[in-house]
Amino acid sequence: MNSADFIALLPLIVPALASVVLLLLITFSRSHAVSVLFTLGSLLLSFLLLFVAGGGTPRRVTPLFIMDAYSLFFIGLLFIAGIVVAVMSSRYLGERSMERGEYYVLLLLATLGASVLAAGSHFASFFAGLEILSVSLYTLIAYRRNDDRGNEAGLKYLILAAASSSFLLFGMALVYAQTGSMDFFQLAEGGRVPDLTVVLSAGLLLITVGVGFKLAVVPFHLWTPDVYEGAPAPVAAFIATSSKGAIFALLMRYFSLMDLQRFPAVWYGIAGIAVASMLIGNLLALRQNNLKRILAYSSIAHMGYLLVAVLAGGTVAKTAVGYYLAAYFATMLGAFGVIAFLSGEEGDAENLEAYRGMAWSRPWTAGVFVAMLLSLAGIPLTAGFIGKFYVVAAGAGAALWIPLIVLVAGSTIGLYYYLRIVAVLYGRVPEGEGGAVTGFPGRVLGMTGGILLTVLTFALLWLGVYPAPLIRILQATVARLVP
Amino acid sequence: MLPKIFFGYFAVVMVVLSLLIVTRKNPVHSVLWMLALFFHIAGLYLFLNAEFLAAVQVILYAGAILVLFLFVVMMLNLKEEVMGERFGKEWPVGISIGAFILVLFFFTINKFSQGPTGQYTIERIKAETHTKAIGSVLYTEFLLPFEIASLILLIAIVGAIVLAKKTK
């Protein structure tokens, strides 16, 4: 490693150091504000350092990391998500008697793990990044220790994540036994992966199980609703966005480097997972009355949509995935943000009925929430629409008719339950409880919440109305991933 | 012939021990059978010219981690669990997943063909010795993931403290 390597790795080194410094800092001062400001400052610094690191790209730092425009884009996205989650958590934790400093240490490290995944180009960095992410999440999910559902969610995630990691590890071992390399770029070289032998396909199958669990695609989705429900709302936002986005970035790099789409078995396997996720995710969301569970099922369906773009392959598909993920990040963070900021000490604001008639007493908050839901549904003028449009365009370019039909059908089903929430928001407050009770108890978003959600809503509308700047960035970064 | 007999012994005993671990009613017995299993795994590592792994397996897993397991099991003082049903209602699901993986591995092993070899062949490891090979790779090429792995331990410590701390 020389100085240029260190400069390229700075965006990863800073959060790692910051987490240790923060750990020392909280031994001196348990002030919540100090922890929050330190976390935000270090994430912002890491984000700015991406531009410094961008000067020397593309650069391979040891066989483990590749710092190219592709990884820098996704790391940037993960840092922004980290900042948003930290802001969301600041009020959430501020009102509860929990250990506050350690939360931010774990949040920083989880963001670091996700970034390691986005920059990983080797099975070793893949696994190390994944474990940093999961081990931090075990604790973060169970952070509401006085809540039984929180403890259940933490335990469920711990056991299932450990089991899926063992599948992943064995899959990696089989792929290594067959190809003799753990380096993605060496695997990409000609002749390493001549055809799909039984051992290689068994290895890929086991890796799919491990990765599928993390992405929460059908049939590895069973943990999702329980964990989202039990985790604190900001942590659920983190699982829905950073954890999945980072794995997706790595998956796409792995796929395009090894050119796995050329094997029919792999292709049909991914297509099957995508179709099942789109259908089952949307269908199961229909009967839920818990907002966090609805968003959990919705995230399963969204991963299915993204896999359609992966199937398509090519430059357009990579732009589509980049755009969709950016839009999905903004939307999911916004939706969970509303829940997090409205949550009181007695529990998260997750019951759909509690929101009945909120639009009449709290029009702006309801408006923000509606914007997020419409974006999830893919209604025009929102970022979600442009994202879905790009995915469909990429799919149509590759003539993926059956997945596309399912995508459209899934989106139509999705429309129903998103609009159902909107209908509840604008619904009539039940008679007889007194007209003065305007539906929603006296929680307001507060300053931080108001600013954060306004910014996210503007980002959402801006991306939906004027997508050209982001598309240009994507074409300069994500689309340049070597095929 | 002799290595084959030894391997056969280790393989069969490991399967039997694993079955004993999951079927015992008393968790302390399970942990003790696990101890025996870890020793056998260490024996298997020796067959693979991996003497460093074998030593680590005995020192860390059999020595440190299992003692921790025993502590936890004794601290929990599982009286009712020992009396109750050993398996939940879902055991057929578990068995069928296990059977599926078994069939998968059966086909995999049958069709196994050696691909291109990696950097460290058996001859090279025999010449260089396993411990030295691991050391030189771990502190040069894989220094970075080694550092990252240390972070995982840090996270685990922080997490354990947060979760175990008494609420005010």
Side-chain angles (χ1 to χ4, degrees):
Chain A
M1 298 245 302
N2 52 31
S3 59
D5 285 345
F6 272 109
I7 290 173
L9 273 190
L10 268 181
L12 296 181
I13 294 172
V14 168
L17 276 182
S19 65
V20 179
V21 173
L22 180 58
L23 205 53
L24 293 174
L25 199 64
I26 55 178
T27 57
F28 294 109
S29 152
R30 299 288 299 179
S31 158
H32 186 218
V34 170
S35 308
V36 175
L37 288 179
F38 185 83
T39 311
L40 290 178
S42 51
L43 281 174
L44 203 62
L45 176 66
S46 320
F47 183 76
L48 293 178
L49 282 171
L50 286 174
F51 296 99
V52 178
T57 56
R59 182 173 191 87
R60 286 208 81 188
V61 188
T62 71
L64 292 155
F65 294 111
I66 168 96
M67 300 304 272
D68 56 2
Y70 177 84
S71 48
L72 288 182
F73 173 80
F74 279 109
I75 295 176
L77 199 60
L78 294 168
F79 283 156
I80 294 175
I83 291 172
V84 174
V85 172
V87 173
M88 230 189 266
S89 315
S90 68
R91 174 157 138 171
Y92 192 89
L93 288 180
E95 293 179 340
R96 290 165 178 74
S97 55
M98 294 174 171
E99 305 302 329
R100 289 165 190 166
E102 289 84 349
Y103 179 93
Y104 296 99
V105 174
L106 292 171
L107 186 64
L108 271 173
L109 285 167
T111 308
L112 172 75
S115 314
V116 166
L117 281 175
S121 62
H122 193 281
F123 277 153
S125 45
F126 182 6
F127 194 68
L130 195 69
E131 284 306 294
I132 293 187
L133 182 61
S134 321
V135 177
S136 323
L137 281 179
Y138 298 156
T139 314
L140 286 177
I141 289 172
Y143 225 82
R144 293 192 300 174
R145 276 170 49 215
N146 44 8
D147 188 329
D148 283 344
R149 286 180 306 170
N151 290 332
E152 182 201 333
L155 198 62
K156 210 168 238 175
Y157 193 77
L158 167 73
I159 292 173
L160 286 176
S164 78
S165 286
S166 64
F167 275 94
L168 185 71
L169 211 52
F170 204 88
M172 287 175 181
L174 286 179
V175 171
Y176 177 70
Q178 190 68 116
T179 58
S181 175
M182 295 199 285
D183 185 337
F184 293 176
F185 284 86
Q186 267 181 27
L187 288 173
E189 282 166 18
R192 279 280 186 183
V193 192
D195 52 35
L196 203 59
T197 57
V198 177
V199 179
L200 188 61
S201 39
L204 288 176
L205 181 68
L206 293 176
I207 291 180
T208 311
V209 173
V211 170
F213 168 81
K214 292 284 172 195
L215 286 180
V217 286
V218 175
F220 315 109
H221 65 286
L222 296 166
W223 58 277
T224 328
D226 291 344
V227 168
Y228 279 42
E229 193 187 344
V235 177
F238 188 88
I239 306 169
T241 54
S242 291
S243 156
K244 290 186 181 178
I247 304 227
F248 214 90
L250 182 123
L251 192 71
M252 202 159 70
R253 186 196 293 282
Y254 183 63
F255 253 74
S256 47
L257 279 178
M258 274 181 79
D259 193 17
L260 287 173
Q261 284 102 324
R262 71 197 144 114
F263 303 125
V266 177
W267 200 93
Y268 281 111
I270 303 288
I273 290 177
V275 167
S277 302
M278 289 187 280
L279 277 181
I280 294 178
N282 279 320
L283 283 174
L284 288 178
L286 287 179
R287 295 185 58 83
Q288 296 297 330
N289 281 317
N290 182 317
L291 275 180
K292 277 160 129 187
R293 291 181 85 91
I294 292 179
L295 287 177
Y297 284 118
S298 147
S299 78
I300 294 173
H302 280 281
M303 286 300 126
Y305 301 150
L306 271 168
L307 283 178
V308 174
V310 170
L311 279 178
T315 322
V316 184
K318 282 180 195 107
T319 318
V321 168
Y323 198 94
Y324 201 97
L325 270 178
Y328 171 80
F329 267 49
T331 315
M332 269 291 170
L333 288 172
F336 274 111
V338 173
I339 298 177
F341 282 110
L342 292 179
S343 295
E345 227 174 307
E346 64 287 344
D348 283 4
E350 53 195 4
N351 190 1
L352 184 55
E353 277 311 304
Y355 284 79
R356 185 166 289 282
M358 188 176 97
W360 307 117
S361 55
R362 211 65 62 62
W364 289 108
T365 315
V368 167
F369 202 22
V370 168
M372 299 301 163
L373 291 168
L374 293 184
S375 176
L376 281 174
I379 303 289
L381 292 186
T382 59
F385 170 71
I386 305 279
K388 210 168 265 178
F389 177 79
Y390 260 91
V391 169
V392 171
L400 304 169
W401 301 119
I402 293 178
L404 280 185
I405 291 169
V406 177
L407 192 155
V408 172
S411 304
T412 319
I413 303 170
L415 208 55
Y416 172 75
Y417 61 82
Y418 294 127
L419 288 183
R420 192 174 134 230
I421 304 175
V422 176
V424 168
L425 286 175
Y426 284 89
R428 194 178 289 277
V429 184
E431 301 275 338
E433 285 177 23
V437 183
T438 38
F440 209 72
R443 296 272 314 170
V444 283
L445 284 180
M447 243 255 290
T448 39
I451 294 172
L452 183 76
L453 290 173
T454 313
V455 168
L456 280 175
T457 313
F458 270 108
L460 203 70
L461 294 175
W462 185 55
L463 288 180
V465 178
Y466 186 52
L470 181 63
I471 302 270
R472 266 202 297 280
I473 295 175
L474 285 167
Q475 274 163 354
T477 54
V478 174
R480 279 207 272 161
L481 172 67
V482 263
Chain B
M1 190 58 204
L2 202 59
K4 272 194 179 154
I5 294 174
F6 270 103
F7 178 80
Y9 162 75
F10 278 111
V12 171
V13 170
M14 273 165 67
V15 171
V16 172
L17 285 175
S18 312
L19 284 175
L20 282 173
I21 292 168
V22 291
T23 50
R24 289 310 87 191
K25 266 196 170 180
N26 191 333
V28 178
H29 293 180
S30 289
V31 173
L32 290 176
W33 285 122
M34 206 179 216
L35 180 70
L37 175 73
F38 281 173
F39 276 114
H40 282 81
I41 293 176
L44 210 56
Y45 282 147
L46 283 179
F47 275 96
L48 298 168
N49 298 310
E51 65 270 8
F52 180 74
L53 268 188
V56 168
Q57 174 79 22
V58 171
I59 297 170
L60 276 186
Y61 280 86
I65 290 182
L66 269 189
V67 172
L68 203 69
F69 269 40
L70 270 181
F71 272 143
V72 172
V73 168
M74 287 169 177
M75 233 164 59
L76 291 177
N77 199 11
L78 304 163
K79 288 249 169 63
E80 291 98 55
E81 280 80 356
V82 176
M83 305 301 290
E85 273 296 305
R86 183 66 188 87
F87 295 109
K89 282 194 292 282
E90 296 83 12
W91 66 268
V93 182
I95 294 251
S96 40
I97 293 175
F100 168 73
I101 295 172
L102 196 69
V103 171
L104 179 76
F105 287 167
F106 181 74
F107 281 110
T108 312
I109 291 164
N110 260 351
K111 293 278 170 61
F112 191 81
S113 58
Q114 175 77 50
T117 51
Q119 241 180 316
Y120 281 86
T121 55
I122 295 172
E123 293 74 35
R124 187 161 167 203
I125 287 192
K126 270 185 178 159
E128 218 174 310
T129 74
H130 180 247
T131 312
K132 197 176 164 194
I134 281 199
S136 62
V137 170
L138 198 58
Y139 290 104
T140 56
E141 193 183 343
F142 289 93
L143 184 61
L144 212 51
F146 185 67
E147 305 275 354
I148 296 172
S150 68
L151 278 179
I152 299 179
L153 292 181
L154 179 75
I155 299 168
I157 295 169
V158 174
I161 292 172
V162 169
L163 291 182
K165 208 170 164 187
K166 271 211 180 80
T167 37
K168 280 158 272 181

